[in-house]
Every structure is written in C-alpha cells, then in structure tokens.
C-alpha cells in the first residue's frame, strides 16, 4: 500500500487479512478504500458485506452483497453470503431464493444445497430438506453435518430407520447426533 496507494487490490488483500484476524472494523475500512479506488470491485463489496455480517450489521451486509450481485451477477459467493444473512434473520424464503440462484449458476456447490436444505428444514419443509441434503451428500459424501441434519429431517418425517442410518454415518465421520425414536 505504501508503494502503490492507488492499488485497490492491495487494500482488498489487507482487508482480507484483517478479516481473518477478526478485526472487522479495519477490514471494512480497507474494503471501503478499495471500493473508492475501484467502484466496480464486486469482490470488495461482498467481502465488506461479510465483515458487516460478522459485526451484526445485517442491513449493511445485505446492501453490500446486493451491490456485488448488481456488478457481477455471476458472483456465487455474494448470493451465498446474502442468503446466510437472510437465514440468520429468519427470512428463509429470501435465503432459499439466493441459494437457488447459486445452484442455477453452479450446481456443483454442495454448501448451496446444504444451506438451502437447512432453510427448508427451518420452515418445516422436511421433504425438500431431505432432497437437498441428499444432493449435498452426493457432492460431498464426507461432510458429517449433512448426514446429521438429514437424519433430523428424516426423524421429523417419521422415517426412523433412515434417520438412524444417517446418524450412524454422522458418528462414523465424527459428529455427535440425537437418537431418533
């Protein structure tokens, strides 16, 4: 930054370093500087949005992720992050819409199916949750939490043997579970 104070990427990089140190205010300041230097830097908007989310500033997080999407409608991470913010506020339909867009853009992102499944689960739509958990498992069969959560959905659907099979797999992969009866 000292050598090239007009380099937006340098500020974004330092902002990322601050973010990983959990110095969100400093990260936001650097992302803001990167945006001032390059107003079309979608990654800096979404990154700043993520830092705002970590600080609990949900409306600013959504605004930044939305701006990133306006600049680059293919930026799946911005949709994921905005979906996470919506989900954390209980706006499951909006979260589902964002995760669905991610899946449309790249159907190989296991976390998009997992996140959407979890939003369906929170809505009480256990059948759709099971479908998405199943797809997430197909894409990433070593993710223990997906087996655990699909097991919970199966339990609510009263499919006890399937729930217990998923619980067994989750335990094998190192995650604790609740028994389904």
């Amino acid at each position: 930054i000292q050598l090239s104070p007009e380099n937006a990427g340098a500020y974004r990089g330092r902002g990322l370093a601050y973010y990983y140190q959990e110095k969100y205010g400093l990260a936001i300041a650097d992302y803001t500087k990167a945006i001032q230097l390059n107003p079309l830097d979608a990654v800096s908007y979404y990154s700043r949005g993520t830092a705002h989310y970590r600080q609990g500033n949900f409306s600013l997080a959504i605004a930044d992720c939305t701006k990133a999407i306006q600049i680059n409608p293919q930026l799946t991470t911005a949709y994921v992050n905005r979906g996470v913010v919506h989900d954390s506020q209980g706006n499951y339909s909006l979260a589902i819409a964002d995760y669905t867009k991610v899946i449309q853009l790249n159907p190989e992102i296991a976390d998009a199916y997992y996140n959407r499944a979890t939003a369906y689960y929170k809505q009480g739509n256990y059948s759709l949750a099971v479908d998405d958990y199943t797809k997430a498992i197909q894409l990433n069969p070593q993710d223990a939490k997906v087996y655990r959560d699909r097991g919970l959905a199966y339990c609510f659907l009263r499919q006890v043997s399937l729930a217990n099979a998923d619980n067994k797999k989750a335990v094998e992969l190192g995650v604790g579970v609740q028994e389904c009866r």
Side-chain angles (χ1 to χ4, degrees), residues 6-9 12 31-46 48 64 66-72:
E6 300 303 310
N7 183 342
R12 185 176 67 224
Y31 294 138
T32 300
K33 182 65 175 175
I35 290 165
Q36 289 169 348
L37 293 169
N38 181 2
L40 297 179
D41 183 359
V43 174
S44 288
Y45 276 104
Y46 118 76
R48 188 174 70 178
D64 276 348
T66 300
K67 182 65 174 178
I69 290 165
Q70 290 169 348
I71 294 168
N72 181 356

Side-chain angles (χ1 to χ4, degrees), residues 34-121:
I35 290 165
Q36 289 169 348
L37 293 169
N38 181 2
L40 297 179
D41 183 359
V43 174
S44 288
Y45 276 104
Y46 118 76
S47 298
R48 188 174 70 178
T50 304
H52 281 307
Y53 170 72
R54 294 291 184 184
Q55 288 189 319
N57 297 321
F58 301 132
S59 62
L60 292 175
I62 289 171
D64 276 348
C65 288
T66 300
K67 182 65 174 178
I69 290 165
Q70 290 169 348
I71 294 168
N72 181 356
Q74 306 300 308
L75 189 60
T76 57
T77 50
Y79 290 101
V80 169
N81 287 353
R82 191 173 69 178
V84 168
V85 177
H86 286 311
D87 187 276
S88 71
Q89 294 185 292
N91 296 324
Y92 305 123
S93 295
L94 293 173
I96 288 166
D98 279 339
Y99 301 139
T100 299
K101 184 63 176 179
V102 173
I103 292 164
Q104 290 169 349
L105 291 170
N106 184 349
E108 301 301 312
I109 299 177
D111 284 344
Y113 291 97
Y114 175 76
N115 289 350
R116 189 171 71 175
T118 301
Y120 283 138
Y121 179 90

Side-chain angles (χ1 to χ4, degrees), residues 121 126 129-130 133 148-158:
Y121 179 90
Y126 305 116
V130 165
Y133 286 136
R148 176 199 62 210
D149 293 351
R150 186 176 71 175
L152 288 171
Y154 276 138
C155 194
F156 276 103
L157 291 170
R158 294 284 166 228

